[in-house]
Amino acid sequence: MDATSRLAAWLNTHPQQISNVVDYNAATDSLFKFDLTKNNAELSLALVNDTPKFSHWVNKKLADNHCRYGIGGYMELRTIYDNREQFDTTDEPRRLHLGVDIWADAGTPVYTPLDGKIHSFKDNANFGDYGPTIIIEHDLDGLTLYSLYGHLSHESLTGLSTGMPVKSGQQIATFGTAEVNGNWPPHLHFQLMLDMEGMAGDYFGACKLSEKERYLQNIPDPGLLLRFADAVNVSA
């Protein structure tokens, strides 16, 4: 059974224990699905390398489509990492995105969707990295799950301690600005893992395409917890 199937089995019998990760209301909030692959002709390197212009592009897509949030990214083969050195390796670059990105304004509140405790936190301050990052450990009746929140504000790390308990629906963070979030348009990188593989305050947000099957065994689909409706630009 892969990671998504294991998590889905628990979530299907415990829906009352799940809270929103952001202030999303399916009845009133529309979503725009961003395509950050080579298929999107609008994504030139000149655009992606200029963070203010990239941010303007994101914001205009949301405004033009009357969407509060943008969404996308799970197992998406991306071209936007071409200027980010930490995604390069000697043999094969890491371009397969392992989490879901939620695009919205800096300062947007972030909540934990499940009861848990702070596993670790860190400011991954490299260019193109996560910036301030929080990882929460959840015990789902013996199934250990970790949730990662990247590209946060500096203030999000204030007052945290390892092992600190958090409750489902508790605000834990806010979206960071480009100046602190790794030099990206404001958004949340939300990712799930079954095994931290000895890491703390950080976990790979992208992998080599050749490693996809291995990571599918450890990285569940975050959509299971997000429970978002279809985006306005995706056919039912």
Side-chain angles (χ1 to χ4, degrees), residues 128-154:
D129 212 326
Y130 284 136
T133 308
I134 298 173
I135 297 173
I136 298 177
E137 180 178 343
H138 313 275
D139 180 1
L140 309 182
D141 298 328
L143 175 65
T144 301
L145 178 73
Y146 301 91
S147 55
L148 181 151
Y149 311 79
H151 308 299
L152 306 176
S153 64
H154 276 154

Tab-separated table of all heavy atoms in Angstrom, residues 128-154:
chain	number	residue	atom	x	y	z
A	128	GLY	N	15.963	30.548	-2.996
A	128	GLY	CA	15.147	29.517	-3.614
A	128	GLY	C	14.710	28.418	-2.668
A	128	GLY	O	14.005	27.498	-3.084
A	129	ASP	N	15.100	28.509	-1.389
A	129	ASP	CA	14.771	27.468	-0.412
A	129	ASP	C	13.418	27.769	0.244
A	129	ASP	O	12.676	28.650	-0.200
A	129	ASP	CB	15.884	27.391	0.629
A	129	ASP	CG	16.089	25.994	1.190
A	129	ASP	OD1	15.096	25.256	1.312
A	129	ASP	OD2	17.240	25.647	1.514
A	130	TYR	N	13.115	27.038	1.327
A	130	TYR	CA	11.832	27.185	2.024
A	130	TYR	C	11.710	28.470	2.841
A	130	TYR	O	10.604	28.862	3.198
A	130	TYR	CB	11.643	26.037	3.015
A	130	TYR	CG	11.264	24.704	2.465
A	130	TYR	CD1	11.892	23.550	2.948
A	130	TYR	CD2	10.252	24.548	1.527
A	130	TYR	CE1	11.545	22.295	2.493
A	130	TYR	CE2	9.900	23.291	1.067
A	130	TYR	CZ	10.545	22.167	1.555
A	130	TYR	OH	10.188	20.921	1.113
A	131	GLY	N	12.854	29.090	3.231
A	131	GLY	CA	12.758	30.129	4.237
A	131	GLY	C	12.292	29.497	5.548
A	131	GLY	O	12.529	28.313	5.811
A	132	PRO	N	11.604	30.263	6.409
A	132	PRO	CA	11.113	29.707	7.667
A	132	PRO	C	10.187	28.512	7.431
A	132	PRO	O	9.266	28.579	6.614
A	132	PRO	CB	10.366	30.883	8.304
A	132	PRO	CG	11.062	32.094	7.747
A	132	PRO	CD	11.384	31.722	6.331
A	133	THR	N	10.444	27.438	8.174
A	133	THR	CA	9.784	26.152	7.943
A	133	THR	C	9.387	25.527	9.275
A	133	THR	O	10.170	25.547	10.228
A	133	THR	CB	10.733	25.188	7.210
A	133	THR	OG1	11.247	25.825	6.034
A	133	THR	CG2	10.030	23.898	6.823
A	134	ILE	N	8.193	24.964	9.335
A	134	ILE	CA	7.722	24.230	10.511
A	134	ILE	C	7.316	22.834	10.077
A	134	ILE	O	6.667	22.663	9.045
A	134	ILE	CB	6.522	24.941	11.168
A	134	ILE	CG1	6.914	26.334	11.670
A	134	ILE	CG2	5.960	24.105	12.328
A	134	ILE	CD1	5.732	27.154	12.185
A	135	ILE	N	7.688	21.842	10.878
A	135	ILE	CA	7.274	20.461	10.637
A	135	ILE	C	6.556	19.950	11.884
A	135	ILE	O	7.068	20.079	13.004
A	135	ILE	CB	8.480	19.559	10.301
A	135	ILE	CG1	9.137	20.048	9.002
A	135	ILE	CG2	8.044	18.097	10.157
A	135	ILE	CD1	10.430	19.350	8.652
A	136	ILE	N	5.372	19.395	11.690
A	136	ILE	CA	4.550	18.884	12.788
A	136	ILE	C	4.419	17.374	12.662
A	136	ILE	O	4.237	16.844	11.557
A	136	ILE	CB	3.159	19.555	12.777
A	136	ILE	CG1	3.307	21.060	12.983
A	136	ILE	CG2	2.251	18.946	13.853
A	136	ILE	CD1	1.996	21.820	12.924
A	137	GLU	N	4.509	16.687	13.784
A	137	GLU	CA	4.348	15.241	13.846
A	137	GLU	C	2.950	14.906	14.351
A	137	GLU	O	2.494	15.475	15.350
A	137	GLU	CB	5.393	14.636	14.776
A	137	GLU	CG	5.316	13.126	14.905
A	137	GLU	CD	6.407	12.550	15.792
A	137	GLU	OE1	7.407	13.264	16.047
A	137	GLU	OE2	6.272	11.389	16.229
A	138	HIS	N	2.274	14.004	13.656
A	138	HIS	CA	0.915	13.591	14.012
A	138	HIS	C	0.889	12.084	14.260
A	138	HIS	O	1.511	11.316	13.514
A	138	HIS	CB	-0.074	13.922	12.886
A	138	HIS	CG	0.051	15.305	12.349
A	138	HIS	ND1	-0.578	16.384	12.914
A	138	HIS	CD2	0.751	15.795	11.281
A	138	HIS	CE1	-0.289	17.479	12.225
A	138	HIS	NE2	0.518	17.147	11.226
A	139	ASP	N	0.155	11.667	15.286
A	139	ASP	CA	-0.043	10.244	15.562
A	139	ASP	C	-1.482	9.899	15.195
A	139	ASP	O	-2.423	10.285	15.892
A	139	ASP	CB	0.222	9.949	17.036
A	139	ASP	CG	0.040	8.471	17.382
A	139	ASP	OD1	-0.279	7.674	16.470
A	139	ASP	OD2	0.183	8.122	18.570
A	140	LEU	N	-1.655	9.179	14.103
A	140	LEU	CA	-2.989	8.814	13.622
A	140	LEU	C	-3.259	7.350	13.992
A	140	LEU	O	-3.187	6.454	13.153
A	140	LEU	CB	-3.080	9.021	12.107
A	140	LEU	CG	-2.636	10.399	11.584
A	140	LEU	CD1	-2.837	10.477	10.086
A	140	LEU	CD2	-3.340	11.522	12.311
A	141	ASP	N	-3.535	7.143	15.267
A	141	ASP	CA	-3.799	5.787	15.762
A	141	ASP	C	-2.688	4.814	15.374
A	141	ASP	O	-2.939	3.709	14.890
A	141	ASP	CB	-5.148	5.278	15.249
A	141	ASP	CG	-6.315	6.125	15.736
A	141	ASP	OD1	-6.217	6.659	16.853
A	141	ASP	OD2	-7.303	6.252	14.993
A	142	GLY	N	-1.454	5.248	15.580
A	142	GLY	CA	-0.305	4.401	15.295
A	142	GLY	C	0.366	4.673	13.967
A	142	GLY	O	1.510	4.234	13.759
A	143	LEU	N	-0.304	5.376	13.066
A	143	LEU	CA	0.311	5.793	11.803
A	143	LEU	C	0.934	7.166	12.011
A	143	LEU	O	0.226	8.137	12.274
A	143	LEU	CB	-0.728	5.856	10.686
A	143	LEU	CG	-0.238	6.405	9.341
A	143	LEU	CD1	0.813	5.491	8.727
A	143	LEU	CD2	-1.407	6.608	8.373
A	144	THR	N	2.240	7.256	11.928
A	144	THR	CA	2.929	8.531	12.114
A	144	THR	C	2.932	9.303	10.796
A	144	THR	O	3.321	8.780	9.752
A	144	THR	CB	4.369	8.316	12.593
A	144	THR	OG1	4.349	7.593	13.828
A	144	THR	CG2	5.064	9.651	12.810
A	145	LEU	N	2.495	10.557	10.886
A	145	LEU	CA	2.460	11.445	9.725
A	145	LEU	C	3.141	12.750	10.101
A	145	LEU	O	2.984	13.241	11.223
A	145	LEU	CB	1.008	11.721	9.319
A	145	LEU	CG	0.796	12.686	8.148
A	145	LEU	CD1	1.190	12.018	6.836
A	145	LEU	CD2	-0.652	13.164	8.081
A	146	TYR	N	3.896	13.295	9.152
A	146	TYR	CA	4.534	14.592	9.352
A	146	TYR	C	3.983	15.570	8.321
A	146	TYR	O	3.828	15.225	7.145
A	146	TYR	CB	6.048	14.484	9.182
A	146	TYR	CG	6.702	13.518	10.138
A	146	TYR	CD1	6.865	12.173	9.776
A	146	TYR	CD2	7.150	13.927	11.389
A	146	TYR	CE1	7.464	11.263	10.646
A	146	TYR	CE2	7.748	13.025	12.262
A	146	TYR	CZ	7.890	11.697	11.885
A	146	TYR	OH	8.472	10.800	12.748
A	147	SER	N	3.682	16.785	8.766
A	147	SER	CA	3.248	17.835	7.833
A	147	SER	C	4.259	18.970	7.858
A	147	SER	O	4.717	19.394	8.919
A	147	SER	CB	1.852	18.352	8.188
A	147	SER	OG	1.785	18.802	9.534
A	148	LEU	N	4.631	19.435	6.663
A	148	LEU	CA	5.644	20.479	6.505
A	148	LEU	C	4.997	21.736	5.948
A	148	LEU	O	4.191	21.673	5.009
A	148	LEU	CB	6.753	19.983	5.585
A	148	LEU	CG	7.933	20.925	5.309
A	148	LEU	CD1	9.205	20.118	5.013
A	148	LEU	CD2	7.675	21.886	4.138
A	149	TYR	N	5.392	22.877	6.516
A	149	TYR	CA	4.867	24.186	6.119
A	149	TYR	C	6.067	25.062	5.792
A	149	TYR	O	6.835	25.439	6.691
A	149	TYR	CB	4.040	24.797	7.252
A	149	TYR	CG	3.015	23.829	7.813
A	149	TYR	CD1	3.402	22.829	8.711
A	149	TYR	CD2	1.682	23.877	7.417
A	149	TYR	CE1	2.483	21.921	9.207
A	149	TYR	CE2	0.751	22.968	7.913
A	149	TYR	CZ	1.164	21.992	8.798
A	149	TYR	OH	0.250	21.080	9.283
A	150	GLY	N	6.255	25.383	4.520
A	150	GLY	CA	7.409	26.151	4.093
A	150	GLY	C	7.036	27.499	3.513
A	150	GLY	O	5.897	27.730	3.114
A	151	HIS	N	8.017	28.415	3.460
A	151	HIS	CA	7.872	29.781	2.936
A	151	HIS	C	7.055	30.654	3.887
A	151	HIS	O	6.219	31.467	3.455
A	151	HIS	CB	7.255	29.776	1.526
A	151	HIS	CG	7.949	28.883	0.563
A	151	HIS	ND1	9.268	29.046	0.206
A	151	HIS	CD2	7.518	27.790	-0.112
A	151	HIS	CE1	9.611	28.101	-0.653
A	151	HIS	NE2	8.575	27.319	-0.859
A	152	LEU	N	7.307	30.494	5.175
A	152	LEU	CA	6.562	31.220	6.204
A	152	LEU	C	7.225	32.559	6.521
A	152	LEU	O	8.303	32.879	6.025
A	152	LEU	CB	6.489	30.363	7.464
A	152	LEU	CG	5.924	28.948	7.291
A	152	LEU	CD1	6.008	28.178	8.603
A	152	LEU	CD2	4.480	29.005	6.787
A	153	SER	N	6.575	33.317	7.395
A	153	SER	CA	7.152	34.562	7.905
A	153	SER	C	8.137	34.246	9.027
A	153	SER	O	8.055	33.185	9.670
A	153	SER	CB	6.037	35.456	8.446
A	153	SER	OG	5.399	34.841	9.560
A	154	HIS	N	9.072	35.163	9.277
A	154	HIS	CA	10.000	34.976	10.395
A	154	HIS	C	9.250	34.846	11.715
A	154	HIS	O	9.622	34.051	12.594
A	154	HIS	CB	10.968	36.155	10.477
A	154	HIS	CG	12.148	36.028	9.578
A	154	HIS	ND1	12.835	37.123	9.093
A	154	HIS	CD2	12.786	34.944	9.049
A	154	HIS	CE1	13.833	36.716	8.323
A	154	HIS	NE2	13.820	35.412	8.276
